[in-house]
Amino acid sequence: MGNSKEKKNKGKSINAFIIVFGVIVACYILSFFISPGAFEREVVGGRTIVVPNSFHAIEKTYLGLQAIFQAIPNGLEASAGMMFLVMLVAGCIEVYKRTNTLDKSVAKILTSAEKVGSEKILVLIMVIFACFGGFLGWNEQIVPFIPIIISLCLALGYDLMTGVACSAMIDMISFSISPTSVYTVGISHEIAELPMFSGFLFRFILLVIFDIIVICYVLKYARKVKRDKAASITADIDDSEFRIDYSDIAKNPLTKRQSVSLAVFMITFIAAIAGVAKFGWSMNDLSACFLFTAIAAGVINKLSADKIIDCIIDGAKDGLRPALVIGLARGIQWILTSSGIIDPIINAISKPLMELPSSITAIAVMFVIALFNGLITSGSAKAMALMPILIPLADIVGMTRQTMILAFQFGDGLTNSLWFTSGTLLIFLTIAKIPLKKWWKFVTPLITILTVVSVLSLVIATKINYGPF
């Protein structure tokens, strides 16, 4: 009986690699049916941008069958910086695990939960991850922290879904309305020639509203699960690998060395926030930062050089699977670009938008970008490709450029929690072993609510001429 249930659960679990590879094959087939074309591009301020109204037909190039497999290594190469960051952060966390610093820190939080309440702990976790997505624009970078948060939530009496929701989900949703994300807002403002991160206050207010809605939604679900385990959407999923007995660990407080290494870890996060927000740090800069932290923590806790290296390598192995999903998902963009069908799709999107009244255009842009997000989930890639078209469109229909960028943000970010082509979403669900159908059941009502809020926000932005221009 038990074996039958186990097989049933195993059959329901998603395989991110199969899903993304299937999309690559579908895009390859699609390339035979779309007439190729291209926009002219020019370099402005060191960035290559699309010249509006320059679309023209080009000679069709048929990709060989080998392109399906070439998409994978090319996607891995294009995502190398992000992949190495995920693996090195995972290596850094493994050092903290081996020194027991991490487990003792979690045990201390659990002890505090008895005094302050488990729901306040959940709110604190959500606020932290909301800041990661809302101000740093982090998504994939939080991957190594997901198992830790899941273990913590299980120890507090919740379930797998709560662990993913109060970390990954709120991070992704906060990203969709980030006031200071260099990956979407930063690139868009540069192309639109707007002051960098201008319009901060309006976006910040929206971020707070979005996060309050998410926090209330998650807490409502978490309360039901704590009262009745049968109410859990993930009740039939084996979560034993995330369950850790912290009772014995809680008896031993952090040593001075562990406390110092934990302080180093916190300083690293502050440095990462400052580096991204103020100094434009790249993925490689962040990787170097966490690699330094891993070595420093090992030295502080008197680990040998060999032991530190082994920890980093073992942690990187754990980070390899999600890192490969990132690279594989990037292969979708490669095959679309190589087949010459990206620009025709962009052109097809822009034409009907130009025919709409200005009051409706912003909302239409949001929904069109949400659909386009299924093909190219990279926010920065879409910003580079679409902003040179959307900004002139805003000027033509009498909409402020700032409002157009806000519409782009909503369309790009909200559906990251829904699209099965989103490598980031697939990573989170793969780690937690949550099937896509169960995830959709949980998240769809929330995204529907937030979509309504987004539409109202765009109406307000249009009415107040959200700017400066």
Side-chain angles (χ1 to χ4, degrees):
M1 186 76 176
N3 290 336
S4 176
K5 185 177 180 181
E6 184 179 343
K7 287 180 180 178
K8 187 177 179 182
N9 289 340
K10 186 175 181 181
K12 288 183 178 179
S13 63
I14 68 168
N15 189 310
F17 294 97
I18 293 176
I19 292 174
V20 179
F21 184 75
V23 175
I24 290 175
V25 174
C27 290
Y28 173 78
I29 295 172
L30 185 66
S31 69
F32 288 93
F33 299 96
I34 296 180
S35 300
F39 285 100
E40 294 178 7
R41 287 169 167 79
E42 61 183 6
V43 178
V44 177
R47 294 186 181 275
T48 303
I49 64 173
V50 174
V51 178
N53 301 316
S54 64
F55 183 79
H56 58 280
I58 60 174
E59 184 179 350
K60 191 171 185 65
T61 301
Y62 291 95
L63 296 178
L65 191 62
Q66 75 280 0
I68 294 174
F69 303 95
Q70 289 174 332
I72 296 172
N74 279 285
L76 295 174
E77 180 182 10
S79 303
M82 179 70 73
M83 292 171 62
F84 289 138
L85 175 59
V86 169
M87 293 171 69
L88 286 173
V89 171
C92 176
I93 288 178
E94 185 63 26
V95 173
Y96 279 86
K97 285 182 179 178
R98 297 285 181 89
T99 59
N100 290 322
T101 304
L102 203 53
D103 285 344
K104 286 185 179 180
S105 299
V106 173
K108 189 172 183 179
I109 293 174
L110 291 172
T111 303
S112 301
E114 297 175 2
K115 300 177 181 178
V116 302
S118 59
E119 287 192 7
K120 290 182 180 178
I121 299 295
L122 287 186
V123 171
L124 177 61
I125 292 171
M126 285 190 275
V127 169
I128 291 172
F129 280 89
C131 289
F132 288 163
F135 296 107
L136 292 178
W138 280 18
N139 277 171
E140 295 89 345
Q141 296 91 330
I142 69 167
V143 164
F145 301 98
I146 303 303
I148 301 168
I149 301 302
I150 291 175
S151 294
L152 177 57
C153 287
L154 290 176
L156 289 170
Y158 302 110
D159 65 347
L160 289 170
M161 191 66 80
T162 304
V164 175
C166 70
S167 55
M169 186 181 77
I170 194 168
D171 173 89
M172 288 190 289
I173 290 173
S174 297
F175 173 84
S176 69
I177 188 54
S178 169
T180 56
S181 170
V182 295
Y183 307 108
T184 51
V185 180
I187 291 174
S188 298
H189 278 174
E190 185 171 346
I191 294 174
E193 299 178 335
L194 281 161
M196 190 61 66
F197 302 136
S198 56
F200 176 90
L201 181 59
F202 188 64
R203 280 188 175 85
F204 177 73
I205 293 172
L206 291 178
L207 177 63
V208 172
I209 293 172
F210 270 50
D211 286 338
I212 289 174
I213 293 172
V214 174
I215 289 171
C216 292
Y217 187 86
V218 174
L219 288 180
K220 181 180 178 181
Y221 172 81
R223 286 178 193 136
K224 288 195 302 181
V225 170
K226 196 155 191 176
R227 284 196 305 264
D228 180 12
K229 298 302 179 186
S232 169
I233 296 176
T234 57
D236 60 340
I237 299 176
D238 181 15
D239 57 13
S240 57
E241 71 175 86
F242 298 106
R243 291 194 177 275
I244 300 173
D245 185 3
Y246 290 100
S247 55
D248 290 335
I249 300 172
K251 296 175 183 177
N252 301 311
L254 288 164
T255 66
K256 288 184 179 180
R257 290 183 180 276
Q258 290 169 335
S259 298
V260 171
S261 61
L262 190 61
V264 171
F265 192 77
M266 298 305 297
I267 292 172
T268 299
F269 262 106
I270 295 172
I273 293 171
V276 171
K278 298 293 183 181
F279 305 108
W281 278 11
S282 66
M283 297 296 173
N284 288 343
D285 294 325
L286 291 171
S287 294
C289 190
F290 281 98
L291 179 59
F292 164 79
T293 304
I295 295 172
V299 172
I300 291 169
N301 287 279
K302 291 188 174 181
L303 295 183
S304 67
D306 287 344
K307 189 70 173 176
I308 294 173
I309 293 170
D310 288 342
C311 288
I312 294 174
I313 292 175
D314 288 343
K317 287 178 183 177
D318 292 336
L320 179 60
R321 183 181 179 88
L324 287 174
V325 174
I326 295 170
L328 189 63
R330 188 65 177 269
I332 298 172
Q333 183 179 339
W334 181 88
I335 201 162
L336 287 171
T337 304
S338 299
S339 61
I341 64 174
I342 276 287
D343 284 1
I345 292 173
I346 294 173
N347 186 55
I349 289 173
S350 63
K351 279 186 176 180
L353 292 177
M354 292 182 180
E355 305 299 325
L356 295 172
S358 59
S359 58
I360 302 175
T361 301
I363 298 171
V365 166
M366 182 185 78
F367 284 108
V368 170
I369 298 300
L371 293 174
F372 193 71
N373 198 28
L375 292 176
I376 300 180
T377 55
S378 168
S380 57
K382 282 197 297 295
M384 292 288 288
L386 294 176
M387 273 304 138
I389 297 170
L390 295 178
I391 294 307
L393 174 62
D395 295 340
I396 292 171
V397 301
M399 182 198 309
T400 65
R401 296 183 174 188
Q402 196 75 268
T403 302
M404 179 63 80
I405 293 172
L406 184 65
F408 171 83
Q409 267 189 280
F410 286 143
D412 167 64
L414 280 180
T415 52
N416 282 337
S417 299
L418 293 175
W419 272 112
F420 59 86
T421 54
S422 170
T424 305
L425 175 61
L426 293 177
I427 291 167
F428 296 144
L429 298 186
T430 299
I431 291 172
K433 299 180 180 179
I434 297 176
L436 199 55
K437 287 183 179 179
K438 289 182 180 291
W439 174 253
W440 282 338
K441 180 180 179 180
F442 173 78
V443 80
T444 301
L446 174 62
I447 298 302
T448 302
I449 294 169
L450 294 178
T451 299
V452 173
V453 175
S454 299
V455 169
L456 294 175
S457 301
L458 289 174
V459 171
I460 294 172
T462 303
K463 296 296 183 183
I464 65 174
N465 288 319
Y466 178 42
F469 54 83

